[in-house]
Amino acid sequence: MHNRKSGSFHLFLSVITTLGAIVAASVVAAQSADRPWMNPNLSPDERADLVLKQLTLDEKLALLHGNGMAHAPQWQMPLSHLTNGGAGYVEGVKRLGIPPLVISDAGYGVRDSGANGRYSTAMPSSLGAAASWDTDSACEFGTVIGQELRAQGFNMTLGGGVDLAREPRNGRNFEYAGEDPLLAGSVVGNLMKCEQAQHVVGDIKHYVMNDQETGRFFVNAVTSKRAMQESDLLAFHIAISIANPGAVMCSYNRINDDFGCENSYTLQDVLKSDWGFKGFVISDWGGTHSTEKASAAGLDQEQPMADFFGPKLKAALEAGRVPLSEIDDHARRVLYAEFLSGIVDDPPQKSVVDVEKGLEVAQRVEERSIVLLKNNSATLPINPSKVHSIAIIGGHADVGMISGGGSAQVDPPSGNAIMPPGKGATIWQKPVWFPTSPLKALQAKLPNAKIDFDPGTDANSAANLARNADLAIVFAYQWLAEDMDVPSLSLPDHQDALIEQVAAANPHTIVVLETGTAVTMPWINNVAGVVEAWYAGSSGHKALANVLAGDVNPSGKLPMTFPKSEADLPHPDRPSIPAESQARVADVADNGAPTSNASAHAGYAVHYDEGAAVGYKWFEAQKKQPLFAFGFGLSYTTYAYSGLSVDSTAKTARFTIRNIGNQSGTETAEVYARLPKGAGESFKRLVGWKRVTLAPGESQAVTIPIDTRVLQAFVDGFDGAKDFWNLAQGDYEVLVGSSSDNTPLTGSLQVQ
Ligand code: NOJ
């Protein structure tokens, strides 16, 4: 009802509001007149240009290097206390409203929260997230990390690892997204797109060919341009085009002789010129080796110190060895990334991390990432009317689950679950266990089952427990971390023998794997089932219990090939480091940082002769049967594929999937293609996929775009001629199915 009193009150309110708006507008106007780059309606390019014009030389140079790293005694500088406990700090330009970069590692969660007295959610490892083949999950993964970074006062992430799992023994494979460029690029691209959308500067790393940790500060990755373009570079290109990150981190290793952070081919020619990357190139920590060369090659910012891009860069400029235009370009790129990511307009405010949300997302991602590799006689899901007693063995499953180490390490609440309390949560290169007990989670799901535990340290005692139980579950782990590769793909700590013995005692033995890369399984024929849980994150125990008990139907598929043995790999024995370099390998600080100039170790090279035939492509080309193929993963239901038609104009594959089992489930349908016969290529390439959820008996017609970016051949111009990409004309065989080695439908794509 309207009355005069309330009418005049409304009038009063609207006058006040209008006056307020006028005042606010004039403040903004004054601000923009004074600081036009603060106008959010201008593009990041325009804003960066406006700021650049205002900068003194010293202000520009300050944008081009770090100022030390928290918790690293060898990398302390006068401003390292400003890192907020993170990996790095770059000065801003306070007088112009340009914030400093406050940088944290955040591979699967925000690093170092323990030392900083904070909490971070551990998402499943990125390799696990890739096993979901789910770009929406990847987006949620990135969103949580972006929000937690901001809550902890950081405005830049160092996540976004997308090096291919070319070498399955690489100790950092858990930080990456598998062996296929399209899958890895799409997963990591979406992850980082959503992370940066939270207003933190995004990062994609380690650019490029950082495919092993052995000799990482000096190893020379040797490969042809074409091979690199169609494999590792392609993964980066796809990830970078999706995420549009503010930063790309160049890698420690050499690529065809030049270090990743002074490589004019990868940085200048490919990343900046061909791909049009407008953000800044940040060096890996201690990965800068020169001033003029690195600057000219396209490195924009040295981290975490100022050894080459501090006083030396200024001197080089003053001596005319580095042009001002180069300095301007570096500085402009840092400013561009700040505007692009939103950290200028929306700086982080410290707040309490949304713990519940993090746990919920971590669980959902893990539920989609778990891969069921074997399930004889429908041993899983556990049927409570038949299974009354369960022997749980090994893997510290009574207490927790293992996580990946190095700079990606996330600190578990209340410290390492298998170390005495108070001894410190994380130590570089020591396995860290989260307090996420799968035993407890399973007991909560199956309250009437009698569940007993044996640590598995004595195989006889474990077998005895297993013998008398209806079901035995062995938890097996393989720990990976930065700065090391695993010597082999065998499970460590005599776990193969443990599994053999338990399986001999109980035919209903399930193995749950907590691994960061592929493992070999000499016992595969003797166990009833295998579940790959990867590094499962903060809610991994709950996700796993849901899968084991059947509340969640597994839907993950392998993002990398599991070989039968190392003998089947392109490099069965990896080249060893020559003696003179070997002596210097030990010359590494506690946190894996190089302590000396690695350029002395030029002698160690890995020749990637397999070229672009990475993972499943290698196995197919060599006609080798893997243990489990790329793209493989079972479900508690069964799917049937039919009726493929390929539309060559629209470049799509259309077919029908039907759930022919009696449970609902989600199937990832995979589409591959082979280049026309004349191309002489003996493997197929993944060109698309789709996750489809189907009720029992339900069928769905799906249309999947064929991504021709991955079908192009890179043509190396040689001798100064321009390189180019070519989508060959002809008849491409299209293959559709549930994994790379099971493609029941075939069709043909005609490219004119
Ligand atoms: C070295 C690692 O290779 C890199 O991934 C990490 O971001 C930096 N250290 C900073 O911790």
Side-chain angles (χ1 to χ4, degrees):
M1 204 213 282
H2 186 265
N3 63 37
R4 264 188 65 204
K5 220 169 167 189
S6 81
S8 53
F9 180 69
H10 279 119
L11 182 66
F12 170 76
L13 263 190
S14 77
V15 169
I16 291 290
T17 315
T18 314
L19 279 177
I22 292 168
V23 170
S26 52
V27 167
V28 169
Q31 213 178 39
S32 348
D34 193 22
R35 294 178 165 185
W37 53 87
M38 285 303 184
N39 178 357
N41 298 323
L42 297 179
S43 70
D45 279 302
E46 292 167 317
R47 299 174 77 180
D49 280 339
L50 287 167
V51 175
L52 189 66
K53 288 193 191 121
Q54 304 291 320
L55 297 187
T56 65
L57 177 62
D58 286 336
E59 284 169 336
K60 289 176 189 171
L61 290 166
L63 295 172
L64 310 188
H65 64 80
N67 291 280
M69 180 183 194
H71 318 306
Q74 81 281 20
W75 279 338
Q76 295 300 304
M77 282 175 78
L79 299 183
S80 21
H81 63 284
L82 297 174
T83 57
N84 185 35
Y89 176 81
V90 178
E91 273 190 282
V93 192
K94 200 165 179 199
R95 70 179 180 93
L96 303 178
I98 302 303
L101 294 175
V102 188
I103 308 170
S104 177
D105 276 297
Y108 60 94
V110 184
R111 180 190 183 188
D112 265 339
S113 46
N116 298 321
R118 302 167 186 150
Y119 164 86
S120 305
T121 305
M123 302 303 294
S125 58
S126 329
L127 185 68
S132 73
W133 295 54
D134 182 10
T135 49
D136 294 340
S137 288
C139 177
E140 290 192 80
F141 185 124
T143 301
V144 164
I145 296 180
Q147 289 171 346
E148 294 195 1
L149 280 163
R150 285 173 60 83
Q152 299 184 40
F154 295 107
N155 63 8
M156 177 163 173
T157 178
L158 298 178
V162 73
D163 296 279
L164 289 188
R166 176 186 283 278
E167 167 51 77
R169 290 157 293 200
N170 180 356
R172 297 188 84 171
N173 277 345
F174 75 94
E175 289 186 59
Y176 305 143
E179 68 193 22
D180 181 78
L182 184 60
L183 179 63
S186 305
V187 166
V188 176
N190 279 283
L191 190 161
M192 194 46 67
K193 175 180 165 192
C194 294
E195 192 165 332
Q196 185 166 277
Q198 301 310 310
H199 300 161
V200 294
V201 177
D203 170 50
I204 295 287
K205 71 184 184 185
H206 309 86
Y207 186 74
V208 59
M209 302 301 293
N210 192 174
D211 295 344
Q212 68 170 42
E213 288 296 280
T214 304
R216 65 174 173 154
F217 299 131
F218 48 86
V219 61
N220 186 13
V222 181
T223 185
S224 73
K225 273 194 198 174
R226 174 173 180 192
M228 186 160 54
Q229 286 278 1
E230 293 180 19
S231 57
D232 295 59
L233 281 176
L234 186 55
F236 274 88
H237 191 194
I238 292 171
I240 290 168
S241 3
I242 297 171
N244 190 19
V248 167
M249 184 191 287
C250 50
S251 58
Y252 284 132
N253 53 287
R254 298 164 194 266
I255 306 134
N256 295 332
D257 298 338
D258 282 334
F259 282 109
C261 293
E262 54 183 43
N263 193 306
S264 60
Y265 176 67
T266 56
L267 299 181
Q268 198 62 62
D269 299 352
V270 177
L271 177 67
K272 291 184 174 178
S273 300
D274 293 351
W275 300 351
F277 172 67
K278 296 204 283 189
F280 68 100
V281 173
I282 182 172
S283 80
D284 199 344
W285 267 226
T288 309
H289 298 283
S290 59
T291 301
E292 289 93 323
K293 183 175 180 184
S295 172
L299 175 67
D300 298 301
Q301 187 182 81
E302 176 186 5
Q303 287 290 353
M305 304 290 276
D307 292 341
F308 296 97
F309 273 32
K312 284 187 187 165
L313 187 57
K314 189 169 184 180
L317 174 79
E318 285 165 354
R321 296 192 306 271
V322 168
L324 182 62
S325 57
E326 226 169 82
I327 305 286
D328 281 350
D329 182 52
H330 299 320
R332 203 187 151 285
R333 286 170 174 275
V334 177
L335 296 168
Y336 170 84
E338 292 215 11
F339 287 114
L340 172 81
S341 61
I343 66 167
V344 179
D345 302 327
D346 182 22
Q349 301 288 326
K350 281 194 180 179
S351 61
V352 178
V353 163
D354 187 344
V355 179
E356 293 301 327
K357 178 178 177 188
L359 293 175
E360 191 233 314
V361 172
Q363 179 170 336
R364 190 163 52 246
V365 174
E366 176 65 5
E367 284 170 351
R368 293 177 184 185
S369 302
I370 291 171
V371 186
L372 180 64
L373 291 173
K374 179 172 181 181
N375 191 20
N376 270 14
S377 322
T379 307
L380 293 176
I382 298 168
N383 180 345
S385 65
K386 287 193 190 143
V387 174
H388 304 289
S389 59
I390 303 177
I392 294 207
I393 291 159
H396 303 287
D398 56 333
V399 182
M401 297 182 90
I402 201 167
S403 59
S407 60
Q409 183 71 61
V410 175
D411 296 342
S414 79
N416 196 338
I418 64 158
M419 278 172 68
K423 286 264 172 73
T426 64
I427 304 171
W428 186 262
Q429 293 221 331
K430 291 266 183 339
V432 172
W433 301 73
F434 270 66
T436 48
S437 160
L439 186 154
K440 289 182 194 151
L442 201 57
Q443 185 73 80
K445 285 260 139 208
L446 305 167
N448 299 324
K450 179 175 173 306
I451 302 188
D452 292 306
F453 179 71
D454 184 286
T457 37
D458 173 349
N460 289 322
S461 127
N464 282 339
L465 185 72
R467 191 166 296 116
N468 300 315
D470 295 332
L471 180 74
I473 308 179
V474 184
F475 283 81
Y477 57 85
Q478 169 215 46
W479 179 66
L480 295 191
E482 175 179 337
D483 201 25
M484 57 169 250
D485 292 327
V486 280
S488 79
L489 298 178
S490 302
L491 288 168
D493 302 335
H494 313 291
Q495 294 177 96
D496 283 338
L498 171 70
I499 295 168
E500 287 288 9
Q501 223 163 308
V502 171
N506 189 327
H508 309 293
T509 293
I510 299 289
V511 177
V512 173
L513 295 167
E514 297 169 43
T515 77
T517 186
V519 285
T520 49
M521 305 181 202
W523 32 261
I524 188 68
N525 294 327
N526 305 329
V527 299
V530 181
V531 176
E532 175 59 86
W534 313 107
Y535 298 149
S538 292
S539 307
H541 56 322
K542 293 189 181 161
L544 180 65
N546 276 344
V547 167
L548 295 176
D551 291 346
V552 167
N553 191 351
S555 61
K557 301 258 178 111
L558 292 181
M560 65 186 295
T561 307
F562 277 41
K564 283 186 187 151
S565 117
E566 292 84 357
D568 292 337
L569 298 175
H571 307 274
D573 301 307
R574 277 166 320 146
S576 52
I577 299 177
E580 82 276 7
S581 297
Q582 186 73 51
R584 308 287 288 275
V585 173
D587 198 8
V588 165
D590 211 26
N591 63 355
T595 54
S596 60
N597 189 341
S599 50
H601 320 278
Y604 180 48
V606 178
H607 294 263
Y608 290 118
D609 303 326
E610 73 280 12
V614 177
Y616 65 95
K617 296 170 181 167
W618 166 261
F619 276 78
E620 188 173 334
Q622 299 293 312
K623 301 195 171 39
K624 289 180 195 239
Q625 195 58 44
L627 176 62
F628 292 111
F630 173 81
F632 176 78
L634 299 169
S635 157
Y636 296 147
T637 187
T638 313
Y639 306 96
Y641 286 72
S642 63
L644 172 65
S645 66
V646 176
D647 183 332
S648 293
T649 313
K651 298 198 172 53
T652 54
R654 186 176 167 82
F655 52 93
T656 301
I657 316 177
R658 187 178 175 84
N659 180 347
I660 53 171
N662 49 20
Q663 303 198 26
S664 62
T666 301
E667 165 73 336
T668 295
E670 301 164 29
V671 183
Y672 297 84
R674 282 186 210 289
L675 297 196
K677 289 242 159 41
E681 190 169 272
S682 45
F683 53 79
K684 56 184 176 292
R685 305 176 177 204
L686 178 73
V687 294
W689 68 89
K690 191 166 187 177
R691 281 173 62 91
V692 187
T693 300
L694 296 168
E698 187 184 347
S699 65
Q700 213 183 94
V702 291
T703 304
I704 300 182
I706 295 172
D707 195 326
T708 50
R709 279 177 303 180
V710 302
L711 289 178
Q712 298 184 92
F714 180 82
V715 184
D716 184 341
F718 290 112
D719 300 332
K722 214 173 157 22
D723 305 330
F724 62 98
W725 286 93
N726 178 40
L727 183 64
Q729 291 185 349
D731 180 1
Y732 291 67
E733 188 186 8
V734 176
L735 305 99
V736 174
S738 62
S739 72
S740 64
D741 67 346
N742 181 15
T743 50
L745 309 183
T746 50
S748 147
L749 172 79
Q750 303 295 329
V751 173
Q752 309 292 336

